[in-house]
Amino acid sequence: MKGEEMNEATKALKFNDQGLIPAIAQDVASGEVLMVARMNAEALEKTIETGEAHYWSRSRKKLWRKGETSGNVQKVKEIRADCDKDVLLLKVEQIGGACHLGYRSCFSWALKDGTWTEDGVKVFDPEERYGKK
Amino acid sequence: MKGEEMNEATKALKFNDQGLIPAIAQDVASGEVLMVARMNAEALEKTIETGEAHYWSRSRKKLWRKGETSGNVQKVKEIRADCDKDVLLLKVEQIGGACHLGYRSCFSWALKDGTWTEDGVKVFDPEERYGKK
């Protein structure tokens, strides 16, 4: 995608006062909702350019290529926006798991009998993968 | 669900400084992501009590039962939370369409050749449904 075209798409979006927009990552094959992270304009640009999901890390205050440490990259197959243009939806091929805790999806807690019950599918060992507890 | 139990689940969540948490509504059958709205603690409580999705309307500053005007209610089949407990995922049976523009999903814009291209499925006429343009 040409830079000029990308800018038009980015300009149409409503970033918040910190220049961020939430992006939902969804498994393109299964439809499973994997995670929600934030993008700034640069993260969206990098995502479009490379075909791999980039986000803005609010804790580390830096651009973050998903999977740069864990190898669990997201190959982006489709980018969608909602009617208010203030949320993005990425349909991705998720390598490994999306969740830093080792689950395939971050949404691994179900409300059951009034408590959040962990029922996610573990696909990697985070201690081993990140080399720390 | 008993009020006491609900409170435990609510207390575990990270609401923002306005007391709100984003909630993604996903079609329980097709997996389609339908919309994102905000809940406060009361909206979550009402959702659990009634089995129908309630949100907090930031523009109208009031509790909002999804579909109260349009009839397009969301019957909630499952409530999930992410690993940070700062986003909710509702798996719903969506009556009619989720989007106030008449689409089944709010995510009816796809990024194609650098522009947002409307490609959603229209399921109702918003002018007719809401009695206004």
Side-chain angles (χ1 to χ4, degrees):
Chain A
M1 176 173 293
K2 293 170 198 161
E4 201 175 286
E5 287 174 332
M6 188 284 301
N7 288 338
E8 282 307 310
T10 304
K11 270 193 277 184
L13 296 174
K14 288 182 200 146
F15 294 90
N16 73 5
D17 53 11
Q18 280 130 23
L20 302 176
I21 189 167
I24 304 166
Q26 181 182 30
D27 188 291
V28 66
S30 70
E32 186 176 23
V33 175
L34 299 171
M35 57 180 277
V36 175
R38 268 71 184 175
M39 284 184 164
N40 60 7
E42 190 188 359
L44 178 57
E45 182 178 352
K46 286 278 184 193
T47 298
I48 294 168
E49 272 177 20
T50 64
E52 290 189 348
H54 288 65
Y55 301 104
W56 177 257
S57 168
R58 292 179 294 175
S59 56
R60 291 180 287 153
K61 295 183 174 42
K62 64 187 281 279
L63 196 71
W64 157 51
R65 182 172 69 86
K66 172 69 183 165
E68 62 190 8
T69 306
S70 65
N72 294 335
V73 301
Q74 293 177 336
K75 298 181 182 178
V76 178
K77 302 303 178 183
E78 193 178 344
I79 302 178
R80 303 186 68 83
D82 74 338
C83 49
D84 292 328
K85 302 286 188 301
D86 63 0
V87 184
L88 295 174
L89 175 64
L90 310 183
K91 298 202 178 185
V92 306
E93 183 189 330
Q94 173 70 61
I95 308 302
C99 183
H100 72 294
L101 298 176
Y103 294 109
R104 178 141 183 87
S105 164
C106 289
F107 290 92
S108 291
W109 283 261
L111 188 59
K112 284 181 187 160
D113 300 326
T115 57
W116 299 106
T117 306
E118 222 169 313
D119 68 354
V121 180
K122 279 252 184 182
V123 290
F124 68 95
D125 178 348
E127 290 185 29
E128 189 184 289
R129 190 66 62 90
Y130 297 107
K132 59 179 180 183
K133 284 206 181 180
Chain B
M1 176 173 296
K2 292 171 198 161
E4 200 176 285
E5 288 174 330
M6 189 283 300
N7 288 337
E8 283 307 309
T10 304
K11 269 192 276 183
L13 296 174
K14 288 183 199 144
F15 294 90
N16 73 6
D17 53 10
Q18 278 131 24
L20 302 176
I21 188 167
I24 303 165
Q26 180 182 30
D27 188 291
V28 67
S30 70
E32 186 175 25
V33 175
L34 300 170
M35 58 180 276
V36 174
R38 268 70 184 176
M39 285 186 162
N40 60 6
E42 190 188 358
L44 178 56
E45 182 177 353
K46 287 279 185 193
T47 298
I48 294 168
E49 274 178 18
T50 64
E52 291 189 348
H54 288 65
Y55 300 104
W56 176 257
S57 168
R58 291 179 295 175
S59 56
R60 290 180 287 154
K61 294 184 175 43
K62 65 187 280 279
L63 196 71
W64 156 51
R65 182 172 69 86
K66 172 70 183 167
E68 64 191 8
T69 305
S70 64
N72 294 335
V73 301
Q74 293 177 336
K75 297 180 182 177
V76 178
K77 303 302 177 185
E78 193 177 343
I79 301 178
R80 304 187 67 83
D82 73 338
C83 48
D84 292 328
K85 301 287 187 299
D86 62 1
V87 184
L88 296 174
L89 174 64
L90 310 183
K91 297 202 178 185
V92 306
E93 182 189 332
Q94 173 70 60
I95 308 301
C99 183
H100 72 292
L101 298 176
Y103 294 108
R104 178 140 184 88
S105 164
C106 290
F107 291 92
S108 289
W109 283 262
L111 188 59
K112 284 180 188 162
D113 299 326
T115 57
W116 298 106
T117 306
E118 221 168 315
D119 67 354
V121 180
K122 279 253 184 183
V123 290
F124 69 94
D125 178 348
E127 290 186 30
E128 190 183 288
R129 190 66 62 91
Y130 297 106
K132 59 180 180 183
K133 284 206 182 184

